[in-house]
């Protein structure tokens, strides 16, 4: 029995356990290896009436449920074999010391559950609330990164960037023509912080995570080569805008095409799909900030290149369901802003890569 430790106070009300039935968790689906159906967070009414803070109790149940879902399911769904131990056990342990990392983990788990159960608005609300808290906590943490906090800052920023990407086609979000500028800026801005953290995480708790990074992503001499441009030669014809294209912008376009080519050749060489996903997610970070400006300013060539990035992602859909629907929705949005006389730059180069056009 739990005793009240305060001298002279009345005995505490007996603790009532929240029954499994009140949470409506399907034990049969859990035992069969499937993701359990979403609990309706409604504790036993008698227990709730005896609690001094019923709202807080429900919040704790929700957070325990999200953390359990993260360790049992979410942490295994989109990362490589090297990263599973990092995100499944080491990151939650680290989150006990750094609340902003815990908020990022809970946001990601809630987003995953919102994908699985789109009719449950509680998950929709939870992932946006925890994501906002993670961003604010991360913003403050970045101001004083040191060896103690580097792992937590790095992990949180990784989750924030991935969350921003996976949210591009969330089932609960109306599909409206909009470019993925928030994700592009988030990923591009993260590069400076990642570079600050990198020396410390080399030997830290998250060192295994570095094995996910393809070697050529850290070497410009391997990444930005003329050979990588070959699948996208049609984009390297500059006469259409030779009079207005600056030497700086032309160089940026060429680097972007090389990057796309590196993704294409990684696929041709049967690189593990989740490793190739990392290449796609790193697109904004590996190019100059001017590339994002060109996209934001609706330069047709920049938009066409971005469409190709998402067309490459479309090839990975069967292998990683986190990406499901992202490519199609983003290409449709890009076409909304792309002048009609540039549509051939999106359609024709896709045929030798996929064998068919991505949009009927």
């Amino acid at each position: 029995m739990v005793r009240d430790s305060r001298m002279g106070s009345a005995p505490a009300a007996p603790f009532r356990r929240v029954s499994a039935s009140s949470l409506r968790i399907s034990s049969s689906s859990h035992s069969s290896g499937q993701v359990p159906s979403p609990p309706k967070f409604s504790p036993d009414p008698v227990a709730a009436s005896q609690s001094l803070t019923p709202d807080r109790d429900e919040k704790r149940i929700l957070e325990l449920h999200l953390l359990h879902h993260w360790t049992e399911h979410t942490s295994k769904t989109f990362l490589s074999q090297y990263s599973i131990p990092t995100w499944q056990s080491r990151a939650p342990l680290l989150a006990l010391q750094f609340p902003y990392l815990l908020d990022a983990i809970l946001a990601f788990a809630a987003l995953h559950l919102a994908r699985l159960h789109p009719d449950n608005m509680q998950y929709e609300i939870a992932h946006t609330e925890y994501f906002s808290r993670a961003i604010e906590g991360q913003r403050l943490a970045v101001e004083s990164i040191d060896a103690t906090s580097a792992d937590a800052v790095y992990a949180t920023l990784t989750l924030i960037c991935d969350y921003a990407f996976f949210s591009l086609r969330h089932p609960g979000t109306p599909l409206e023509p909009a470019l993925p500028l928030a994700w592009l800026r988030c990923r591009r801005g993260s590069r400076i912080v990642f570079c600050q953290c990198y020396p410390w995480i080399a030997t830290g708790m998250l060192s295994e995570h570095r094995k996910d990074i393809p070697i050529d992503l850290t070497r410009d001499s391997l990444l930005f080569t003329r050979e990588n441009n070959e699948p996208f030669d049609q984009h390297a014809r500059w006469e259409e805008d030779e009079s207005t294209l600056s030497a700086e912008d032309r160089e940026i376009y060429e680097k972007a095409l090389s990057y796309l080519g590196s993704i294409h050749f990684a696929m041709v060489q049967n690189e593990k799909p989740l490793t190739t996903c990392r290449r796609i997610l790193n697109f904004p970070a590996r190019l100059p900030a001017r590339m994002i400006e060109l996209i934001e300013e609706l330069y047709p060539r920049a938009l066409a290149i971005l469409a190709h990035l998402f067309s490459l992602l479309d090839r990975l859909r069967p292998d990683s369901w986190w990406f499901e629907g992202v490519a199609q929705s983003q290409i449709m949005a890009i076409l909304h802003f792309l002048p009609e006389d540039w549509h051939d730059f999106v359609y024709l180069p896709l045929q030798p890569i996929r064998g068919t056009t991505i949009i009927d």
Side-chain angles (χ1 to χ4, degrees):
M1 178 179 293
V2 179
R3 297 182 180 274
D4 192 332
S5 59
R6 294 171 296 175
M7 295 298 294
S9 61
F15 176 76
R16 294 283 299 262
R17 294 183 182 275
V18 178
S19 65
S21 61
S22 69
L23 291 177
R24 300 189 182 98
I25 299 178
S26 172
S27 58
S28 61
S29 63
H30 182 71
S31 61
S32 65
Q34 300 176 357
V35 176
S37 59
K40 308 295 185 181
F41 299 101
S42 52
D44 185 288
V46 177
S49 66
Q50 293 175 342
S51 172
L52 293 177
T53 55
D55 291 341
R56 182 185 175 199
D57 286 348
E58 290 193 20
K59 190 77 167 179
R60 291 172 66 189
I61 293 172
L62 170 61
E63 292 182 343
L64 180 60
H65 172 59
L66 294 177
L67 188 58
H68 174 267
H69 187 81
W70 168 267
T71 57
E72 288 296 311
H73 303 289
T74 308
S75 61
K76 305 174 185 177
T77 58
F78 63 93
L79 301 165
S80 80
Q81 59 179 331
Y82 300 115
S83 286
I84 288 177
T86 294
W87 296 106
Q88 185 179 36
S89 58
R90 295 171 192 149
L93 185 63
L94 192 62
L96 297 177
Q97 304 174 56
F98 300 95
Y100 50 88
L101 175 54
L102 179 58
D103 286 332
I105 288 173
L106 296 178
F108 226 115
L111 177 64
H112 188 192
L113 284 164
R115 283 281 187 96
L116 296 174
H117 310 288
D119 294 333
N120 190 318
M121 289 305 298
Q122 187 168 35
Y123 295 138
E124 186 75 24
I125 295 170
H127 80 74
T128 54
E129 287 184 352
Y130 284 115
F131 183 61
S132 296
R133 286 172 47 174
I135 289 178
E136 179 60 21
Q138 172 78 355
R139 184 185 65 79
L140 297 175
V142 165
E143 297 175 358
S144 56
I145 301 176
D146 57 21
T148 303
S149 63
D151 275 342
V153 170
Y154 182 93
T156 304
L157 190 54
T158 299
L159 293 179
I160 286 175
C161 290
D162 288 354
Y163 176 102
F165 185 88
F166 295 141
S167 298
L168 290 178
R169 184 62 180 93
H170 189 275
T173 303
L175 180 58
E176 298 177 356
L179 297 175
L181 296 175
W183 165 66
L184 291 170
R185 295 191 193 105
C186 176
R187 194 67 188 179
R188 183 66 184 80
S190 69
R191 184 176 181 179
I192 297 175
V193 181
F194 281 141
C195 290
Q196 286 181 273
C197 295
Y198 208 74
W200 287 308
I201 67 168
T203 56
M205 184 179 291
L206 303 183
S207 58
E208 286 288 305
H209 178 60
R210 298 193 307 154
K211 293 182 179 180
D212 282 334
I213 303 174
I215 188 169
D216 60 329
L217 277 185
T218 61
R219 298 184 183 179
D220 286 1
S221 60
L222 297 176
L223 193 61
F224 302 114
T225 66
R226 180 66 188 88
E227 291 74 17
N228 280 347
N229 286 34
E230 291 178 1
F232 303 94
D233 270 344
Q234 183 166 349
H235 277 292
R237 299 173 186 171
W238 310 109
E239 59 271 13
E240 291 87 353
D241 48 7
E242 190 73 41
S243 60
T244 59
L245 188 64
S246 68
E248 177 192 5
D249 288 350
R250 177 170 177 167
E251 181 180 355
I252 290 171
Y253 285 139
E254 289 178 339
K255 293 186 72 172
L257 295 175
S258 290
Y259 194 92
L260 294 183
S262 74
I263 298 173
H264 166 68
F265 286 120
M267 292 179 173
V268 170
Q269 295 166 10
N270 295 318
E271 183 178 69
K272 292 180 179 179
L274 295 180
T275 302
T276 307
C277 287
R278 282 290 163 208
R279 293 180 182 273
I280 293 172
L281 293 173
N282 275 299
F283 174 82
R286 296 299 287 123
L287 295 173
R290 173 63 179 162
M291 183 64 191
I292 299 176
E293 293 176 1
L294 292 169
I295 294 171
E296 188 172 8
E297 294 168 11
L298 304 181
Y299 278 78
R301 192 180 300 275
L303 294 177
I305 290 174
L306 185 63
H308 277 285
L309 177 72
F310 285 106
S311 75
L312 292 170
L313 171 62
D314 185 66
R315 295 172 59 188
L316 292 173
R317 264 191 309 159
D319 301 296
S320 184
W321 70 272
W322 272 106
F323 298 89
E324 190 171 318
V326 171
Q328 293 173 333
S329 65
Q330 291 303 310
I331 290 177
M332 292 300 294
I334 292 168
L335 288 178
H336 176 79
F337 296 99
L338 192 66
E340 189 171 347
D341 58 342
W342 275 80
H343 283 198
D344 281 349
F345 284 81
V346 176
Y347 280 86
L348 297 180
L350 294 177
Q351 295 181 11
I353 295 175
R354 179 118 190 258
T356 181
T357 55
I358 193 168
I359 300 172
D360 296 328

